Amino acid sequence: MKANILAAIITATLLPLTACAGSGHDNVADSVIKKQRAMLETNTDGKGFGPQSPRDIDTIKGMNARDFNAAPAYTEMNLCNIHFHKNAEHKGGEFAKYAGNGDGHGFQSGYVYSGKLSSSEKRATKAAVCPSKHGALNSGDTIEVHYVHSTAQVMPGPTLGACLSESIMNPQLRVETQVYVLVNDKNALDFAKLTKHGAKNSYQQAFNIPNNTGSAIQYAGSTTGPGYNEKGSPLQVSWSVRPEVAKVNIETVAKWCEGNTFNEDHAHGVRNLVTNPKLLSAK
């Protein structure tokens, strides 16, 4: 029985990380996004869902009364997964520029770096970077990296299923979040170092999460991903979102996509920004 329940939870958790169908890079009409927001409200209103993510980190206020204890500091939890989304799911800080509505399935939407890059930093790469059916990454692109942590006794691995355990079916989850802009610059940050992980003080840890990109905005939310554009996420997550963007060498991201512990080889889509006050936490 417990195994069946765990499988159902894992399945629900994996949905937002699955690439949704879509084609082309044209923006769908505003009416499409408006309809998705309406469906999200219809499918969540009065049903007891907790606060949702992503949100505008510059405006932390909302009306969702479902409360849960914040997860411990990530240094007291186990790193279980690292993945990234093309464009930032969250809005605010140095990534408040809207990329557009995208294809309506979470691709080519979200938020991008608001600053300026030099022509050399935006120089095209010789080979496609982390290609998928939704396109490859390019110099100048923005990505939002999620360093996911769990209170369960787990090891880093593929998908959010790595964060769950048969021993603890309701672990606390925390996502340390850093937005990066990809630059064609060998002197920029190395993604392999940014994602380096191992044992430290009896916990699985990512050793080099940036600590110089502003004070992280802490809030109560949920898992994300475009699979939840029209329905609520049932999982509770403590979020830490850094407001400043760091520059990473795009070639090192390309190499990471060729092989890593998490079997990640492309960027995931983004969930629509959650704007309904009834779905946002007050803190």
Coordinates of all heavy atoms in Angstrom, one line a residue, residues 84-166:
F84 N 17.4 22.5 -14.6 CA 17.2 23.9 -14.9 C 16.1 24.1 -16.0 O 15.8 23.2 -16.7 CB 18.5 24.6 -15.3 CG 19.1 24.0 -16.6 CD1 18.7 24.5 -17.9 CD2 20.2 23.1 -16.6 CE1 19.3 24.0 -19.0 CE2 20.8 22.6 -17.7 CZ 20.3 23.1 -19.0
H85 N 15.6 25.3 -16.0 CA 14.5 25.7 -16.9 C 15.1 26.8 -17.8 O 15.9 27.7 -17.3 CB 13.3 26.3 -16.1 CG 12.7 25.3 -15.1 ND1 11.6 24.7 -15.4 CD2 13.2 24.9 -13.9 CE1 11.3 23.9 -14.4 NE2 12.2 24.0 -13.5
K86 N 14.7 26.8 -19.1 CA 15.1 27.9 -20.0 C 14.2 29.1 -19.7 O 13.0 29.0 -19.7 CB 15.0 27.5 -21.4 CG 15.4 28.6 -22.3 CD 15.4 28.2 -23.8 CE 15.9 29.4 -24.6 NZ 15.9 29.1 -26.1
N87 N 14.9 30.2 -19.3 CA 14.2 31.4 -18.8 C 13.9 31.2 -17.4 O 13.7 30.0 -16.9 CB 13.0 31.9 -19.7 CG 13.4 32.2 -21.1 OD1 14.6 32.5 -21.4 ND2 12.5 32.1 -22.0
A88 N 13.8 32.2 -16.6 CA 13.5 32.1 -15.2 C 12.0 31.9 -15.0 O 11.2 32.5 -15.7 CB 13.9 33.4 -14.5
E89 N 11.7 31.0 -14.1 CA 10.3 30.8 -13.8 C 9.8 31.9 -12.9 O 8.7 32.4 -13.0 CB 10.0 29.5 -13.1 CG 10.2 28.3 -14.0 CD 9.6 27.0 -13.4 OE1 10.1 26.5 -12.4 OE2 8.6 26.6 -13.9
H90 N 10.7 32.3 -11.9 CA 10.3 33.4 -11.0 C 10.6 34.8 -11.8 O 11.3 34.9 -12.7 CB 11.2 33.4 -9.8 CG 10.8 32.2 -8.9 ND1 11.3 30.9 -9.0 CD2 10.0 32.2 -7.8 CE1 10.7 30.2 -8.1 NE2 10.0 30.9 -7.3
K91 N 9.9 35.8 -11.2 CA 10.1 37.2 -11.7 C 10.6 38.0 -10.6 O 10.2 37.9 -9.5 CB 8.8 37.7 -12.2 CG 8.8 39.2 -12.6 CD 7.4 39.7 -12.9 CE 7.5 41.2 -13.2 NZ 6.1 41.8 -13.4
G92 N 11.5 39.0 -11.0 CA 12.0 39.9 -10.0 C 13.5 40.1 -10.0 O 14.2 39.5 -10.9
G93 N 14.0 41.0 -9.2 CA 15.5 41.2 -9.1 C 16.0 41.6 -10.5 O 15.4 42.4 -11.2
E94 N 17.0 40.9 -11.0 CA 17.6 41.1 -12.3 C 17.1 40.3 -13.4 O 17.6 40.2 -14.5 CB 19.2 40.9 -12.2 CG 19.9 41.9 -11.2 CD 21.4 41.7 -11.2 OE1 21.8 40.6 -11.6 OE2 22.1 42.6 -10.8
F95 N 15.9 39.7 -13.1 CA 15.3 38.8 -14.2 C 13.8 39.2 -14.2 O 12.9 38.3 -14.0 CB 15.5 37.3 -14.0 CG 15.5 36.9 -12.5 CD1 14.3 36.4 -12.0 CD2 16.6 37.0 -11.7 CE1 14.3 36.0 -10.7 CE2 16.6 36.6 -10.4 CZ 15.4 36.1 -9.9
A96 N 13.5 40.4 -14.5 CA 12.1 40.9 -14.4 C 11.5 41.2 -15.8 O 10.4 41.7 -16.0 CB 11.9 42.1 -13.6
K97 N 12.3 40.9 -16.9 CA 11.9 41.2 -18.3 C 11.2 39.9 -18.8 O 11.7 38.8 -18.9 CB 13.1 41.5 -19.1 CG 12.8 41.8 -20.5 CD 14.1 42.1 -21.3 CE 13.9 42.5 -22.8 NZ 15.1 42.8 -23.5
Y98 N 9.9 40.1 -19.3 CA 9.1 39.0 -19.7 C 9.6 38.6 -21.1 O 9.8 39.4 -22.0 CB 7.6 39.5 -19.8 CG 6.6 38.4 -20.1 CD1 6.7 37.1 -19.5 CD2 5.6 38.6 -21.0 CE1 5.8 36.2 -19.7 CE2 4.6 37.6 -21.2 CZ 4.7 36.4 -20.6 OH 3.8 35.4 -20.8
A99 N 9.7 37.3 -21.3 CA 10.2 36.7 -22.5 C 9.1 36.6 -23.6 O 9.3 36.4 -24.7 CB 10.8 35.3 -22.3
G100 N 7.8 36.6 -23.1 CA 6.7 36.5 -24.0 C 5.9 35.3 -23.5 O 6.3 34.5 -22.7
N101 N 4.7 35.1 -24.2 CA 3.8 34.0 -23.8 C 4.3 32.6 -24.3 O 3.9 31.6 -23.8 CB 2.4 34.2 -24.5 CG 1.7 35.4 -23.9 OD1 2.0 35.8 -22.8 ND2 0.8 35.9 -24.7
G102 N 5.3 32.6 -25.2 CA 5.8 31.3 -25.6 C 4.8 30.5 -26.4 O 3.9 31.0 -27.0
D103 N 5.0 29.1 -26.4 CA 4.2 28.3 -27.2 C 2.9 27.8 -26.4 O 2.1 27.0 -27.0 CB 5.0 27.0 -27.6 CG 5.4 26.1 -26.5 OD1 5.2 26.5 -25.3 OD2 6.0 25.0 -26.7
G104 N 2.7 28.3 -25.2 CA 1.5 27.9 -24.5 C 1.7 26.7 -23.7 O 0.8 26.2 -22.9
H105 N 2.9 26.0 -23.8 CA 3.2 24.8 -23.1 C 4.4 24.9 -22.2 O 5.1 24.0 -21.8 CB 3.4 23.6 -24.1 CG 2.2 23.3 -24.9 ND1 1.1 22.6 -24.4 CD2 1.9 23.6 -26.2 CE1 0.2 22.5 -25.4 NE2 0.6 23.1 -26.4
G106 N 4.8 26.2 -21.9 CA 5.9 26.4 -21.0 C 7.3 26.7 -21.7 O 8.3 26.9 -21.0
F107 N 7.3 26.7 -23.0 CA 8.6 26.9 -23.7 C 8.6 28.3 -24.4 O 7.6 28.7 -24.9 CB 8.9 25.8 -24.7 CG 9.1 24.5 -24.0 CD1 8.0 23.6 -23.8 CD2 10.3 24.1 -23.6 CE1 8.2 22.4 -23.2 CE2 10.5 22.9 -22.9 CZ 9.4 22.0 -22.7
Q108 N 9.8 28.9 -24.3 CA 10.0 30.3 -24.8 C 9.2 31.3 -24.0 O 9.1 32.5 -24.4 CB 9.6 30.4 -26.3 CG 10.1 29.3 -27.2 CD 11.6 29.0 -27.0 OE1 12.4 30.0 -26.9 NE2 12.0 27.8 -27.1
S109 N 8.8 31.0 -22.8 CA 8.1 31.9 -21.9 C 9.0 32.1 -20.7 O 10.1 31.7 -20.6 CB 6.7 31.4 -21.5 OG 6.0 32.4 -20.8
G110 N 8.5 32.8 -19.7 CA 9.2 33.1 -18.5 C 9.9 34.4 -18.5 O 9.5 35.3 -19.2
Y111 N 11.0 34.6 -17.7 CA 11.6 35.9 -17.6 C 13.1 35.8 -17.9 O 13.7 34.7 -17.7 CB 11.4 36.4 -16.1 CG 9.9 36.7 -16.0 CD1 9.0 35.7 -15.6 CD2 9.4 38.0 -16.2 CE1 7.6 36.0 -15.5 CE2 8.0 38.3 -16.1 CZ 7.2 37.2 -15.7 OH 5.8 37.5 -15.7
V112 N 13.7 36.9 -18.3 CA 15.1 36.8 -18.8 C 15.9 38.0 -18.1 O 15.3 38.9 -17.5 CB 15.2 37.0 -20.3 CG1 14.5 35.8 -21.0 CG2 14.6 38.3 -20.8
Y113 N 17.2 37.8 -18.2 CA 18.1 38.8 -17.6 C 17.8 40.2 -18.1 O 17.7 40.4 -19.3 CB 19.5 38.3 -17.9 CG 20.6 39.3 -17.5 CD1 20.7 39.7 -16.1 CD2 21.7 39.6 -18.3 CE1 21.7 40.6 -15.7 CE2 22.7 40.4 -17.9 CZ 22.7 40.9 -16.6 OH 23.7 41.7 -16.2
S114 N 17.7 41.1 -17.2 CA 17.4 42.5 -17.5 C 18.6 43.3 -17.9 O 18.4 44.4 -18.4 CB 16.6 43.2 -16.4 OG 15.5 42.4 -15.9
G115 N 19.8 42.8 -17.6 CA 21.0 43.6 -17.9 C 21.5 43.5 -19.3 O 20.8 42.9 -20.2
K116 N 22.6 44.1 -19.6 CA 23.2 44.1 -20.9 C 24.4 43.2 -21.0 O 25.2 43.1 -20.0 CB 23.5 45.5 -21.4 CG 22.3 46.4 -21.5 CD 22.7 47.8 -22.0 CE 21.5 48.7 -22.2 NZ 21.9 50.0 -22.7
L117 N 24.6 42.6 -22.1 CA 25.8 41.8 -22.4 C 26.6 42.3 -23.5 O 26.0 43.0 -24.4 CB 25.4 40.3 -22.7 CG 24.6 39.6 -21.6 CD1 24.2 38.2 -22.1 CD2 25.5 39.4 -20.3
S118 N 27.9 42.1 -23.6 CA 28.7 42.5 -24.7 C 28.5 41.6 -25.9 O 28.0 40.5 -25.8 CB 30.2 42.5 -24.3 OG 30.6 41.2 -24.1
S119 N 28.9 42.1 -27.0 CA 28.8 41.4 -28.3 C 29.6 40.1 -28.2 O 29.2 39.0 -28.7 CB 29.2 42.2 -29.5 OG 30.6 42.6 -29.3
S120 N 30.7 40.1 -27.5 CA 31.5 38.9 -27.4 C 30.9 37.9 -26.5 O 31.0 36.7 -26.8 CB 32.9 39.2 -26.9 OG 32.9 39.8 -25.6
E121 N 30.2 38.3 -25.4 CA 29.5 37.4 -24.5 C 28.4 36.7 -25.2 O 28.0 35.6 -24.9 CB 29.0 38.2 -23.3 CG 30.1 38.6 -22.4 CD 29.6 39.4 -21.2 OE1 28.7 40.3 -21.4 OE2 30.1 39.2 -20.1
K122 N 27.8 37.4 -26.2 CA 26.6 36.8 -27.0 C 27.1 36.1 -28.2 O 26.2 35.7 -29.0 CB 25.7 38.0 -27.3 CG 25.0 38.6 -26.1 CD 23.9 39.6 -26.5 CE 24.5 40.8 -27.1 NZ 23.4 41.8 -27.3
R123 N 28.4 35.9 -28.4 CA 28.9 35.3 -29.6 C 28.3 33.8 -29.7 O 28.3 33.1 -28.7 CB 30.4 35.3 -29.6 CG 31.0 34.8 -30.9 CD 32.5 34.9 -30.9 NE 33.2 34.1 -29.9 CZ 33.6 34.6 -28.7 NH1 33.6 35.9 -28.5 NH2 34.2 33.7 -27.9
A124 N 27.9 33.4 -30.9 CA 27.3 32.1 -31.0 C 28.3 31.0 -30.8 O 29.5 31.2 -31.1 CB 26.7 32.0 -32.4
T125 N 27.8 29.9 -30.3 CA 28.7 28.7 -30.1 C 28.8 27.9 -31.4 O 28.0 28.1 -32.3 CB 28.1 27.8 -29.1 OG1 26.8 27.4 -29.4 CG2 28.1 28.5 -27.7
K126 N 29.9 27.1 -31.6 CA 30.1 26.4 -32.8 C 29.1 25.2 -32.9 O 28.7 24.8 -34.0 CB 31.5 25.9 -32.9 CG 32.6 27.0 -33.0 CD 34.0 26.4 -33.0 CE 35.0 27.5 -33.2 NZ 36.4 27.0 -33.2
A127 N 28.7 24.6 -31.8 CA 27.8 23.5 -31.8 C 26.6 23.8 -30.9 O 26.6 24.7 -30.1 CB 28.5 22.3 -31.2
A128 N 25.5 23.1 -31.2 CA 24.2 23.3 -30.4 C 24.5 22.9 -29.0 O 25.1 21.9 -28.7 CB 23.1 22.5 -31.1
V129 N 23.9 23.7 -28.1 CA 24.1 23.5 -26.7 C 22.8 22.9 -26.1 O 21.7 23.5 -26.2 CB 24.4 24.8 -25.9 CG1 24.5 24.6 -24.4 CG2 25.8 25.3 -26.4
C130 N 22.9 21.7 -25.4 CA 21.7 21.1 -24.8 C 20.5 21.0 -25.7 O 19.4 21.5 -25.3 CB 21.4 21.8 -23.5 SG 22.8 21.9 -22.3
P131 N 20.6 20.5 -26.9 CA 19.5 20.6 -27.9 C 18.4 19.7 -27.5 O 18.6 18.6 -26.8 CB 20.2 20.1 -29.2 CG 21.3 19.2 -28.7 CD 21.8 19.8 -27.5
S132 N 17.2 20.1 -27.8 CA 16.0 19.2 -27.7 C 15.0 19.6 -28.8 O 15.3 20.5 -29.6 CB 15.3 19.5 -26.3 OG 14.7 20.7 -26.3
K133 N 13.8 19.0 -28.8 CA 12.9 19.3 -29.8 C 12.3 20.7 -29.7 O 11.6 21.2 -30.6 CB 11.7 18.3 -29.8 CG 10.9 18.2 -28.5 CD 9.8 17.2 -28.6 CE 9.0 17.1 -27.4 NZ 8.0 16.0 -27.5
H134 N 12.6 21.3 -28.6 CA 12.1 22.7 -28.3 C 13.2 23.7 -28.6 O 13.1 24.9 -28.3 CB 11.6 22.8 -26.9 CG 10.5 21.9 -26.6 ND1 9.2 22.2 -27.1 CD2 10.4 20.8 -25.9 CE1 8.4 21.2 -26.7 NE2 9.1 20.4 -26.0
G135 N 14.3 23.2 -29.1 CA 15.4 24.1 -29.5 C 16.6 24.0 -28.5 O 16.5 23.3 -27.5
A136 N 17.7 24.6 -28.9 CA 18.9 24.5 -28.1 C 19.1 25.8 -27.3 O 18.3 26.8 -27.4 CB 20.1 24.3 -29.0
L137 N 20.1 25.8 -26.4 CA 20.4 27.0 -25.6 C 21.4 27.9 -26.5 O 22.2 27.3 -27.2 CB 21.0 26.7 -24.3 CG 20.2 25.9 -23.3 CD1 21.0 25.5 -22.1 CD2 19.0 26.8 -22.9
N138 N 21.3 29.2 -26.3 CA 22.2 30.1 -27.0 C 22.9 31.0 -26.1 O 22.4 31.3 -25.0 CB 21.4 30.9 -28.1 CG 20.7 30.0 -29.1 OD1 21.4 29.3 -29.9 ND2 19.4 29.9 -29.1
S139 N 24.0 31.6 -26.5 CA 24.6 32.6 -25.7 C 23.7 33.8 -25.5 O 23.0 34.2 -26.4 CB 25.9 33.1 -26.5 OG 26.8 32.1 -26.7
G140 N 23.6 34.3 -24.3 CA 22.7 35.3 -24.0 C 21.4 34.8 -23.3 O 20.6 35.6 -22.8
D141 N 21.2 33.5 -23.4 CA 19.9 32.9 -22.8 C 20.0 33.0 -21.3 O 21.1 32.9 -20.7 CB 19.7 31.5 -23.2 CG 19.1 31.4 -24.6 OD1 18.6 32.4 -25.1 OD2 19.1 30.3 -25.2
T142 N 18.9 33.0 -20.6 CA 18.7 32.9 -19.2 C 18.3 31.5 -18.8 O 17.4 30.9 -19.5 CB 17.7 33.9 -18.7 OG1 18.2 35.3 -19.0 CG2 17.5 33.9 -17.2
I143 N 18.8 31.0 -17.7 CA 18.3 29.7 -17.1 C 18.1 29.9 -15.6 O 18.8 30.7 -15.0 CB 19.3 28.5 -17.4 CG1 20.6 28.7 -16.8 CG2 19.4 28.2 -18.9 CD1 21.6 27.5 -16.8
E144 N 17.1 29.2 -15.1 CA 16.9 29.1 -13.7 C 17.2 27.7 -13.2 O 16.6 26.8 -13.6 CB 15.5 29.5 -13.3 CG 15.2 29.4 -11.8 CD 13.8 30.0 -11.4 OE1 13.4 31.1 -11.9 OE2 13.1 29.3 -10.7
V145 N 18.2 27.7 -12.3 CA 18.7 26.4 -11.8 C 18.1 26.1 -10.4 O 18.1 27.0 -9.5 CB 20.2 26.3 -11.7 CG1 20.7 25.0 -11.1 CG2 20.8 26.5 -13.1
H146 N 17.5 24.9 -10.3 CA 16.9 24.5 -9.0 C 17.8 23.4 -8.4 O 18.0 22.3 -8.9 CB 15.5 23.9 -9.3 CG 14.6 24.9 -9.7 ND1 13.3 24.6 -10.3 CD2 14.6 26.3 -9.7 CE1 12.7 25.7 -10.6 NE2 13.4 26.7 -10.3
Y147 N 18.4 23.7 -7.2 CA 19.1 22.8 -6.4 C 18.1 22.3 -5.4 O 17.8 23.0 -4.4 CB 20.3 23.5 -5.7 CG 21.3 24.2 -6.6 CD1 21.1 25.4 -7.1 CD2 22.5 23.5 -6.9 CE1 22.1 26.1 -7.9 CE2 23.5 24.1 -7.7 CZ 23.3 25.4 -8.2 OH 24.2 26.0 -8.9
V148 N 17.6 21.1 -5.6 CA 16.5 20.6 -4.7 C 17.1 19.7 -3.6 O 17.9 18.9 -3.8 CB 15.5 19.7 -5.6 CG1 14.3 19.4 -4.8 CG2 15.2 20.4 -6.9
H149 N 16.5 20.0 -2.4 CA 17.0 19.3 -1.2 C 15.8 18.7 -0.5 O 14.7 19.1 -0.5 CB 17.7 20.3 -0.2 CG 18.9 21.0 -0.8 ND1 18.9 22.0 -1.8 CD2 20.2 20.7 -0.5 CE1 20.1 22.3 -2.1 NE2 20.9 21.6 -1.3
S150 N 16.1 17.6 0.2 CA 15.1 16.8 0.9 C 15.6 16.4 2.3 O 16.8 16.2 2.5 CB 14.8 15.5 0.1 OG 14.0 14.6 0.8
T151 N 14.7 16.3 3.3 CA 15.0 15.8 4.6 C 15.1 14.3 4.7 O 15.5 13.7 5.7 CB 14.0 16.3 5.6 OG1 12.7 16.0 5.2 CG2 14.1 17.8 5.9
A152 N 14.7 13.6 3.5 CA 14.8 12.2 3.5 C 16.2 11.7 3.3 O 17.1 12.5 2.9 CB 13.9 11.6 2.3
Q153 N 16.5 10.5 3.7 CA 17.9 10.0 3.6 C 18.0 9.4 2.2 O 17.7 8.3 1.9 CB 18.1 8.8 4.6 CG 19.5 8.3 4.6 CD 19.7 7.3 5.7 OE1 19.2 7.5 6.8 NE2 20.5 6.2 5.4
V154 N 18.4 10.3 1.3 CA 18.5 10.0 -0.2 C 19.8 10.4 -0.8 O 20.5 11.2 -0.2 CB 17.3 10.7 -0.9 CG1 16.0 10.0 -0.5 CG2 17.3 12.2 -0.7
M155 N 20.0 10.0 -2.0 CA 21.2 10.3 -2.7 C 20.8 11.2 -3.9 O 19.7 11.0 -4.4 CB 22.0 9.1 -3.2 CG 22.6 8.3 -2.0 SD 23.9 9.1 -1.1 CE 25.2 9.1 -2.4
P156 N 21.7 12.0 -4.4 CA 21.4 12.8 -5.6 C 21.1 11.9 -6.8 O 21.8 10.8 -7.0 CB 22.6 13.6 -5.9 CG 23.3 13.7 -4.6 CD 23.0 12.4 -3.9
G157 N 20.0 12.2 -7.6 CA 19.7 11.3 -8.7 C 18.7 12.0 -9.7 O 18.3 13.2 -9.5
P158 N 18.3 11.3 -10.7 CA 17.4 11.8 -11.7 C 16.0 12.1 -11.2 O 15.5 11.4 -10.4 CB 17.3 10.7 -12.8 CG 18.5 9.9 -12.5 CD 18.7 9.9 -11.1
T159 N 15.4 13.2 -11.7 CA 14.0 13.7 -11.4 C 13.8 13.9 -9.9 O 14.6 13.5 -9.0 CB 13.0 12.7 -11.9 OG1 12.9 11.6 -11.1 CG2 13.3 12.2 -13.3
L160 N 12.7 14.5 -9.6 CA 12.3 14.8 -8.3 C 12.0 13.5 -7.5 O 11.8 13.5 -6.3 CB 11.1 15.7 -8.2 CG 11.4 17.2 -8.7 CD1 10.1 18.0 -8.5 CD2 12.6 17.8 -8.1
G161 N 11.8 12.4 -8.2 CA 11.6 11.1 -7.5 C 12.8 10.8 -6.6 O 12.6 10.1 -5.6
A162 N 14.0 11.3 -6.9 CA 15.2 11.1 -6.1 C 15.0 11.7 -4.7 O 15.8 11.4 -3.8 CB 16.4 11.6 -6.8
C163 N 14.1 12.6 -4.6 CA 13.9 13.4 -3.3 C 13.0 12.7 -2.3 O 12.9 13.1 -1.2 CB 13.4 14.8 -3.6 SG 14.4 15.7 -4.8
L164 N 12.4 11.6 -2.8 CA 11.4 10.9 -2.0 C 11.9 9.5 -1.6 O 12.8 9.0 -2.2 CB 10.1 10.7 -2.7 CG 9.5 12.0 -3.3 CD1 8.2 11.7 -4.1 CD2 9.2 13.0 -2.2
S165 N 11.4 8.9 -0.5 CA 11.9 7.7 0.0 C 10.7 6.9 0.6 O 9.8 7.5 1.1 CB 12.9 8.0 1.1 OG 13.1 6.8 2.0
E166 N 10.8 5.5 0.5 CA 9.8 4.7 1.1 C 9.8 4.8 2.6 O 8.8 4.6 3.3 CB 9.9 3.3 0.7 CG 9.6 3.0 -0.8 CD 9.5 1.5 -1.1 OE1 9.7 0.7 -0.2 OE2 9.2 1.2 -2.3

